[in-house]
Amino acid sequence: MKLLFLQGKGGVGKSTLAFLFALTLQKAGRVVGIRDLDPQKSLTAWLTDTEGFELQEDGEIIIIDSPPRIDDPLVLAAICEADRILIPTTPSPAELATLRHSAGVVASNLKAGAKAWVVFNRVKKSTTYGKNLESLAASLPLPAAKNSISDREVYKHVLLDGWIALDGAAKEEIMNLALEIQ
Ligand SMILES: Nc1ncnc2c1ncn2[C@@H]1O[C@H](COP(=O)(O)OP(=O)(O)OP(=O)(O)O)[C@@H](O)[C@H]1O
Ligand SMILES: [Mg+2]
């Protein structure tokens, strides 16, 4: 199964979520392969530095990270071959234009049997938009995942300290999202 993280906008959490999924799924006993399409290679660097993580190309689940360019031929090819696609966004109306464009390109290139979701990332439940994710998702050409990812300091610490940095609540929300899209 190929799981692609993509968004035309930078800094929305593509590599962070790809990293968290890689770690969580390998911890859960799955054989995880990594394909890093971003020339900056953040995901590769983070995983290389993570103690205990076995970095390899092949696996039953191939996690693909991508640069913030939806028109890149490599990214378009990855959309066409992915089985699952997650499009992270922060929950803000300011993100809706790029998000709608990315979701539209994904929706019209999805292969038969594949599925794609928008994922709200860096959610703060106490804020207006954190409480109204459904209204933000209402006009998008793809569904939003029911499980969103919160804004948590541990998602920064995990890059330095690895799996032990994650508390129970963080592990649970990543696993819930992984189960939702499987
Ligand atoms: N859920 C989160 N909680 C806290 N910080 C987060 C979260 N998700 C992402 N970040 C932070 O946001 C920043 C951008 O994240 P990331 O590098 O994953 O984005 P990206 O979409 O891969 O960016 P680019 O397009 O430049 O590759 C990083 O500093 C990361 O630690
Ligand atoms: Mg990235």
Side-chain angles (χ1 to χ4, degrees):
M1 184 190 88
K2 291 188 179 121
L3 168 58
L4 170 65
F5 292 82
L6 115 164
Q7 233 279 42
K9 192 169 168 64
V12 292
K14 295 178 291 297
S15 303
T16 300
L17 295 190
F19 177 85
L20 292 168
F21 264 68
L23 223 56
T24 301
L25 292 172
Q26 198 175 85
K27 277 282 169 195
R30 311 297 292 271
V31 182
V32 175
I34 300 295
R35 218 165 279 172
D36 192 347
L37 303 181
D38 190 342
Q40 292 186 83
K41 302 282 176 203
S42 320
L43 177 64
T44 306
W46 297 344
L47 289 171
T48 302
D49 291 345
T50 300
E51 217 180 289
F53 187 85
E54 199 175 322
L55 186 57
Q56 57 187 44
E57 280 183 21
D58 291 328
E60 49 182 318
I61 300 172
I62 310 282
I63 290 179
I64 309 170
D65 191 20
S66 60
R69 288 189 302 275
I70 200 92
D71 54 349
D72 182 323
L74 277 180
V75 174
L76 279 172
I79 293 172
C80 297
E81 66 169 350
D83 302 289
R84 300 287 184 269
I85 301 179
L86 290 180
I87 307 172
T89 182
T90 49
S92 159
E95 312 300 337
L96 280 179
T98 46
L99 176 61
R100 199 172 284 124
H101 180 244
S102 296
V105 172
V106 168
S108 49
N109 287 284
L110 214 51
K111 76 174 181 185
K115 292 181 186 168
W117 298 262
V118 168
V119 176
F120 288 108
N121 181 34
R122 309 202 71 167
V123 173
K124 294 176 185 157
K125 290 266 155 59
S126 59
T127 62
T128 307
Y129 287 108
K131 285 182 198 141
N132 289 294
L133 298 178
E134 293 81 7
S135 66
L136 279 176
S139 62
L140 297 171
L142 288 171
K146 288 185 193 71
N147 292 282
S148 55
I149 300 295
S150 309
D151 190 85
R152 294 180 193 274
E153 280 303 298
V154 292
Y155 292 146
K156 297 178 190 297
H157 297 167
V158 72
L159 300 179
L160 288 176
D161 300 333
W163 178 253
I164 52 159
L166 293 181
D167 54 27
K171 286 176 186 165
E172 193 182 341
E173 70 178 7
I174 300 158
M175 193 45 95
N176 284 343
L177 179 57
L179 289 171
E180 180 180 350
I181 63 140
Q182 72 183 350

